[in-house]
Amino acid sequence: MSRQLCKQLVAGAYTVGLVDSMIHTCCTFQLSLWSSNIIKHFFCVIPPLLVLSCSDIRINEIVMFAFMCCIIVSSLVTVLLFYVYIISTILQIYFAKGRRKAFSSCTFHLTSVVMFHGTLLFMYLRPTSSYSMDTDKMVSAFYTLEIPMVNPLIYSLRNMEEHVKDALRNASFPDTSV
């Protein structure tokens, strides 16, 4: 990846995040809220805030759905597009061991990507008729706590797997040259 493309991707991510948050903030300021301003959630996100509204929230729901579709789907498509390039490069590796190692790394990364995007898709792209505050709390805890904790574990297991294989090889064929 070129430095220019990397800069464009970072600038694009910041720009989309800024525009998304500004639009949701403007839409939220248009709402009338009940007298209770206590959000029964771990943190302030859009769906639990909409529950506190006594005004029509259809516009907010449409805006949230549209932006989440665009953001989640575009980021997922971007990752998968890069993986097409990565896989085509891996297939050009001559040695099977190198290909296997590269595919192993990709598998662990794709597991993290699928876990993260899967929970986001479930969280923001489900119908409001199936919205449950308890389910929402559980899913949001999963994608904010569980995935960042599991991600290093996934990568360390991969590295540990290589170290375990090396240790087994060394134990099976001890170096007798000493």
Side-chain angles (χ1 to χ4, degrees):
M1 181 182 337
S2 69
R3 183 180 286 285
Q4 183 66 22
L5 179 60
C6 188
K7 287 178 183 178
Q8 289 172 348
L9 288 171
V10 170
Y14 276 101
T15 303
V16 168
L18 182 65
V19 169
D20 180 54
S21 62
M22 287 176 57
I23 288 174
H24 287 301
T25 301
C26 290
C27 287
T28 303
F29 281 142
Q30 304 302 316
L31 297 175
S32 299
L33 302 177
W34 293 104
S35 60
S36 172
N37 61 355
I38 298 172
I39 298 175
K40 295 181 175 144
H41 205 277
F42 298 124
F43 46 87
C44 184
V45 289
I46 299 163
L49 189 62
L50 294 180
V51 171
L52 295 177
S53 176
C54 58
S55 54
D56 187 17
I57 59 172
R58 281 183 286 166
I59 298 295
N60 295 69
E61 289 175 335
I62 291 168
V63 168
M64 182 177 66
F65 184 79
F67 270 86
M68 289 302 124
C69 277
C70 292
I71 292 170
I72 294 170
V73 170
S74 66
S75 70
L76 189 57
V77 166
T78 302
V79 169
L80 294 177
L81 180 67
F82 279 115
Y83 263 96
V84 168
Y85 289 118
I86 291 169
I87 290 171
S88 67
T89 303
I90 290 172
L91 291 175
Q92 295 173 6
I93 296 175
Y94 182 72
F95 298 105
K97 183 178 179 182
R99 270 196 309 270
R100 201 174 324 113
K101 192 170 184 177
F103 274 125
S104 174
S105 296
C106 291
T107 302
F108 287 111
H109 179 253
L110 279 175
T111 302
S112 300
V113 168
V114 167
M115 285 173 53
F116 181 71
H117 282 85
T119 54
L120 288 179
L121 287 168
F122 176 79
M123 179 93 169
Y124 290 105
L125 300 183
R126 67 179 190 255
T128 53
S129 60
S130 68
Y131 183 78
S132 162
M133 190 68 77
D134 292 333
T135 304
D136 193 44
K137 284 182 191 178
M138 186 175 62
V139 171
S140 63
F142 182 77
Y143 83 80
T144 56
L145 298 174
E146 189 75 24
I147 293 173
M149 287 187 331
V150 169
N151 206 5
L153 178 67
I154 289 172
Y155 288 108
S156 65
L157 283 176
R158 181 196 167 275
N159 291 337
M160 211 181 323
E161 179 182 302
E162 292 298 319
H163 292 299
V164 168
K165 285 179 187 175
D166 290 342
L168 284 174
R169 271 189 228 109
N170 291 339
S172 300
F173 304 105
D175 188 14
T176 56
S177 62
V178 183

